[in-house]
Amino acid sequence: MNDTATSSPETLRARMVDHIQHGFWPACERVADAMRTVPRHLFVPDATLEEAYDDQSVITKRDATGAALSCASTPAIVAMMLDQLDIQPGQRILEIGAGTGYNAALLAHLTGPNGYVTTVDIDPNITGGARRGLDNNGYQHVHVATRDGALGDTEHIPYDRLIVTVGAWDLPAPWWTQLAPGGRLVAPLRWRGQTQSVAFTYDGAQMISDSMGLCGFVPMLGQDGEHTGYVDPDGHVSLYWDEDQNIDTTGLLGICTQPKAATWSGVTVRGEEPFDRIWLHLSATEPGTCRIAADKTATTSGLCTPAVGIRSPAIAENASLAYLTTRRLPDADDARFELGATGHGTVGADLAERLCAQIRNWDTDRTTPPTITAYANNTKPDHINLFTIRKTDCRLVIKF
């Protein structure tokens, strides 16, 4: 076979789907077929064919600082979320975040000729580009609207499915009223410093999750419930926490220079084995769960050594802190690491022990996710529950 044939869009697209199907979240065959059919490269014309069909996001708009404002999401994450959405032919779909129009084209393929797809975005440049991409590729019937995604779209309610393709800190009230009872909502929901693509079923009063997977998305504009602050005076170590948490980084400034209390859990992982669900256990049990991020200067100097430098779970309590860390086991036959925690401050050792307790809880069942129940704030009275996570329009209760 010549080089042209092996690098054709059809061949690269098939290879992309094969990679997805052998990855961390194989999609159902209907989703795989949609991704084999819809030409991703035509929705990202500034990317090369190889870039269009690599398992990576393609940035399509940046701000003045270079930060991404819009992109075509990583194909594996696209496949996971579509699989979670469980689209059936003939359904009405609302997408929040128009992107390039590629995801809306996949939605239209899955709903078929009797379905209806609406995609909305607050940025007219993005909706204009999505409209052109859809029109140029035979998806003129997809409705594209320029509006605040938090408001949804009332023009074609109720929707059987609602999918959010921007990072959501909250589940705004209009989404609840526009989704039909029995419908499904899939959103990259952010809490306690992490983002999980959570699939909810709506029963008309509450939303109950049945699956989730770690992901990352450009944040949705207007949802400012997450705070950040430095705990290192030179700006090398920062925390991310939610507005309902009693965390004050001024009391933690310089915490990483205080004596360390290292605790090891006895739980090990191989080099590429995921352990992000420890974060879920922490968010269900520890009110001070947050995210710690240390830059290269901090990690190489030993000032702060989280398990994953830019994104690891931590517990903050008053003027003390503990975070997840790892150490390589030199005598292991394979690349194996032990999970543990490093604590600083008056109760840092206790926080490290509590973090290790959740590592051990995770180790008893590494794959089963918790159940997240979301209650709309205007339909559910306040919970007397220490671990209720309070947002502007909803409250989350997480249980294993």
Side-chain angles (χ1 to χ4, degrees):
M1 184 177 292
N2 60 41
D3 291 341
T4 301
T6 58
S7 60
S8 69
E10 295 77 15
T11 300
L12 293 173
R13 192 154 60 245
R15 189 180 303 163
M16 176 189 77
V17 176
D18 288 344
H19 176 77
I20 291 169
Q21 296 302 80
H22 289 91
F24 72 99
W25 193 299
C28 69
E29 189 51 42
R30 291 186 66 244
V31 170
D33 176 69
M35 298 189 76
R36 289 189 186 100
T37 304
V38 177
R40 186 175 190 249
H41 69 286
L42 298 181
F43 288 89
V44 286
D46 293 334
T48 66
L49 276 177
E50 288 73 17
E51 290 169 341
Y53 291 111
D54 277 348
D55 192 27
Q56 63 181 12
S57 59
V58 176
I59 307 301
T60 55
K61 186 175 182 179
R62 298 181 184 272
D63 65 15
T65 69
L69 292 175
S70 185
C71 69
S73 299
T74 304
I77 299 298
V78 170
M80 176 183 72
M81 294 180 70
L82 292 176
D83 190 75
Q84 289 179 293
L85 199 59
D86 188 27
I87 300 168
Q88 301 302 314
Q91 289 184 328
R92 303 173 79 84
I93 315 293
L94 174 60
E95 178 188 37
I96 308 297
T100 64
Y102 171 66
N103 204 65
L106 292 167
L107 294 169
H109 182 93
L110 288 163
T111 60
N114 296 320
Y116 196 88
V117 176
T118 294
T119 184
V120 303
D121 202 286
I122 198 170
D123 188 331
N125 292 323
I126 290 173
T127 53
R131 179 74 276 166
R132 287 189 297 274
L134 290 162
D135 288 347
N136 292 340
N137 290 286
Y139 297 96
Q140 294 87 350
H141 57 291
V142 172
H143 176 59
V144 181
T146 303
R147 61 179 305 162
D148 185 349
L151 301 177
D153 190 283
T154 60
E155 194 169 338
H156 302 97
I157 57 174
Y159 295 100
D160 303 294
R161 299 287 188 268
L162 196 158
I163 183 170
V164 185
T165 56
V166 288
W169 182 84
D170 200 0
L171 302 177
W175 298 356
W176 297 72
T177 60
Q178 294 172 21
L179 186 62
R184 290 178 68 79
L185 181 149
V186 173
L189 189 59
R190 191 166 182 83
W191 75 96
R192 303 310 189 236
Q194 64 179 327
T195 303
Q196 295 273 345
S197 175
V198 184
F200 292 99
T201 297
Y202 181 44
D203 67 4
Q206 59 195 19
M207 296 193 191
I208 302 175
S209 72
D210 55 35
S211 70
M212 63 192 68
L214 189 70
C215 62
F217 275 80
V218 175
M220 186 173 181
L221 296 177
Q223 294 191 343
D224 302 319
E226 184 178 74
H227 303 308
T228 183
Y230 291 113
V231 296
D232 165 46
D234 295 321
H236 298 300
V237 184
S238 56
L239 293 185
Y240 297 78
W241 71 97
D242 294 325
E243 66 180 13
D244 68 322
Q245 293 180 281
N246 185 27
I247 294 176
D248 181 5
T249 51
T250 58
L252 291 166
L253 198 62
I255 189 71
C256 295
T257 62
Q258 295 186 23
K260 295 181 180 180
T263 302
W264 298 101
S265 66
V267 176
T268 64
V269 293
R270 293 183 176 86
E272 298 300 320
E273 188 175 359
F275 48 86
D276 56 275
R277 287 192 169 175
I278 294 168
W279 212 326
L280 295 171
H281 282 266
L282 286 168
S283 72
T285 57
E286 290 288 347
T289 299
C290 55
R291 169 190 167 196
I292 193 167
D295 68 14
K296 190 173 182 179
T297 298
T299 57
T300 55
S301 68
L303 175 68
C304 183
T305 55
V308 180
I310 62 169
R311 181 186 57 80
S312 288
I315 307 173
E317 188 172 292
N318 299 322
S320 297
L321 178 72
Y323 58 83
L324 181 69
T325 191
T326 63
R327 64 178 177 184
R328 185 160 184 167
L329 300 181
D331 298 329
D333 293 335
D334 53 3
R336 189 173 290 274
F337 297 80
E338 184 178 7
L339 302 174
T342 296
H344 299 273
T346 306
V347 295
D350 176 62
L351 294 181
E353 289 285 357
R354 282 153 52 183
L355 201 158
C356 283
Q358 295 310 316
I359 294 173
R360 297 183 191 104
N361 283 342
W362 164 77
D363 188 43
T364 64
D365 183 353
R366 297 189 177 194
T367 59
T368 302
T371 297
I372 300 179
T373 305
Y375 302 93
N377 280 347
N378 64 349
T379 60
K380 192 73 178 180
D382 199 359
H383 286 276
I384 304 174
N385 185 318
L386 182 61
F387 303 112
T388 295
I389 295 173
R390 293 169 170 82
K391 296 180 176 288
T392 303
D393 286 328
C394 75
R395 300 177 185 190
L396 308 177
V397 175
I398 305 174
K399 293 182 179 179
F400 277 89

